[in-house]
């Protein structure tokens, strides 16, 4: 009984001592840990810091583009040596050396072959000289019809008309077929109360352009005189005629032109029945407005 109680008491003492030692050990360990905590930053500061990594270098600026290589200097040619001749036109193209303007272009202006012809004036200008292969002209104006006979003379104002056909050889020269007429009324002892006379000349000749706007013409041919009075009508178509004129062209288009022409005709009738005289001469001088179509 006494032994059992002693064992229990010893066991309790042993358990109590063991628990007390365990509590003291735990408390001592906690106290030691708390005493080392303030020194931790110093220990951390004492530790050498790892070497800092180098800062990344900024990317280098892009290099400026290199200047283009300098042009090679032209080779120096030896004295007397020139550049090679240029290539000529392929076979069949272009005129041969020394070839001038084609016929009907440059030479038709009266210039020698190979002469450079400046550009012509635009249409609508009177300064344009062009080739007219075929020309039809009609004119109307005023004139003075006169008679010169052995026993006297007479003249009266009247109307003039003309009809021309021309064929261009060059821009300056044309072959001309012309019909020029004049009509007037006469009065007096020679002609009675009133009598009308009409003369028409039919000539062949040439027309020449002295300037692009100025021309002259001349032709030879036949003449026909017709008359009518109170008693009878008559005609004489055995006259010998000459016709001439000078004109100025003041308006021109692509196919037409207008000109003012001073024209004259002279006709001689070896056997005139109009005045019962021989070798009567009738002539006219007038101004016509000419319309030319080509």
């Amino acid at each position: 009984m006494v032994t059992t109680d002693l064992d229990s008491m010893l066991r309790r003492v042993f358990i109590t001592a063991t628990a007390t030692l365990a509590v003291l050990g735990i408390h001592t360990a906690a106290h030691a840990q708390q005493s080392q905590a303030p020194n931790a930053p110093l220990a951390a500061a004492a530790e050498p810091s790892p070497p800092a990594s180098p800062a990344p270098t900024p990317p280098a600026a892009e290099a400026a583009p290199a200047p283009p290589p300098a042009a090679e200097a032209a080779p120096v040619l030896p004295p007397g040596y020139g550049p090679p001749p240029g290539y000529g036109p392929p076979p069949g193209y272009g005129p041969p050396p020394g070839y001038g303007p084609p016929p009907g272009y440059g030479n038709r202006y009266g210039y020698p072959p190979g002469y450079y012809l400046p550009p012509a004036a635009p249409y609508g200008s009177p300064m344009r000289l062009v080739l007219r292969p075929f020309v039809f002209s009609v004119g109307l104006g005023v004139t003075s019809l006169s008679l010169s006979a052995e026993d006297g003379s007479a003249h009266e104002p009247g109307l003039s008309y003309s009809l021309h056909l021309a064929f261009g050889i060059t821009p300056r020269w044309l072959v001309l077929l012309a019909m020029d007429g004049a009509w007037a009324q006469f009065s007096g002892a020679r002609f009675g109360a009133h009598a009308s006379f009409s003369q028409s000349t039919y000539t062949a000749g040439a027309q020449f352009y002295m300037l692009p706007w100025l021309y002259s013409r001349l032709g030879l041919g036949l003449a026909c005189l017709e008359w009518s009075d109170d008693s009878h009508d008559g005609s004489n178509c055995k006259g010998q005629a000459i016709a001439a004129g000078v004109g100025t062209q003041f308006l021109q288009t692509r196919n037409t032109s207008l000109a003012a022409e001073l024209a004259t005709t002279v006709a001689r009738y070896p056997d005139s029945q109009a005045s019962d005289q021989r070798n009567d001469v009738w002539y006219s001088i007038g101004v016509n407005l000419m319309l030319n179509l080509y």
Side-chain angles (χ1 to χ4, degrees):
M1 189 66 176
V2 175
T3 303
T4 303
D5 294 336
L6 183 58
D7 292 335
S8 298
M9 186 180 59
L10 291 175
R11 186 180 298 113
R12 290 177 184 175
V13 172
F14 177 77
I15 292 173
T16 302
T18 301
T20 301
L21 291 175
V23 171
L24 291 175
I26 293 172
H27 180 72
T28 301
H31 182 71
Q33 184 175 4
Q34 291 179 359
S35 61
Q36 293 178 359
N39 298 329
L42 297 177
E47 292 179 0
S49 58
S53 60
T57 58
E62 296 182 1
E72 296 182 1
V76 179
L77 301 177
Y81 182 84
Y87 291 100
Y93 292 88
Y99 183 83
Y105 180 77
N107 294 336
R108 72 189 184 188
Y109 289 86
Y111 298 115
Y115 185 88
Y116 173 74
L117 184 67
Y123 284 103
S125 169
M127 298 301 293
R128 182 176 178 84
L129 189 62
V130 297
L131 176 64
R132 302 170 176 87
F134 176 78
V135 183
F136 172 77
S137 304
V138 59
L140 185 65
V142 294
T143 187
S144 173
L145 183 60
S146 302
L147 166 65
S148 177
E150 295 179 358
D151 60 346
S153 61
H155 57 85
E156 293 291 341
L159 298 177
S160 62
Y161 50 90
S162 58
L163 186 66
H164 298 171
L165 292 178
F167 305 91
I169 302 176
T170 71
R172 294 186 181 275
W173 287 99
L174 292 85
V175 174
L176 182 65
L177 303 177
M179 188 279 291
D180 298 288
W183 174 90
Q185 283 191 338
F186 289 79
S187 61
R190 178 191 298 270
F191 308 103
H194 63 275
S196 62
F197 286 81
S198 173
Q199 175 178 262
S200 299
T201 60
Y202 305 90
T203 59
Q207 181 169 308
F208 174 69
Y209 278 85
M210 298 171 285
L211 295 173
W213 51 271
L214 182 64
Y215 68 89
S216 61
R217 64 182 180 92
L218 180 66
L220 300 175
L222 303 176
C224 185
L225 180 67
E226 299 178 346
W227 63 91
S228 175
D229 55 21
D230 295 336
S231 58
H232 67 284
D233 299 338
S235 64
N236 184 356
C237 294
K238 299 179 180 180
Q240 304 162 357
I242 181 174
V246 177
T248 174
Q249 183 174 280
F250 58 87
L251 180 62
Q252 183 186 56
T253 64
R254 183 177 297 273
N255 300 111
T256 61
S257 65
L258 284 177
E261 182 181 278
L262 175 64
T264 180
T265 60
V266 180
R268 173 180 174 271
Y269 298 91
D271 186 12
S272 175
Q273 302 176 11
S275 59
D276 296 329
Q277 300 290 336
R278 299 180 60 86
N279 297 327
D280 287 357
V281 176
W282 288 80
Y283 58 91
S284 65
I285 301 176
V287 178
N288 292 340
L289 178 64
M290 303 293 298
L291 173 62
N292 306 307
L293 306 177
Y294 48 87

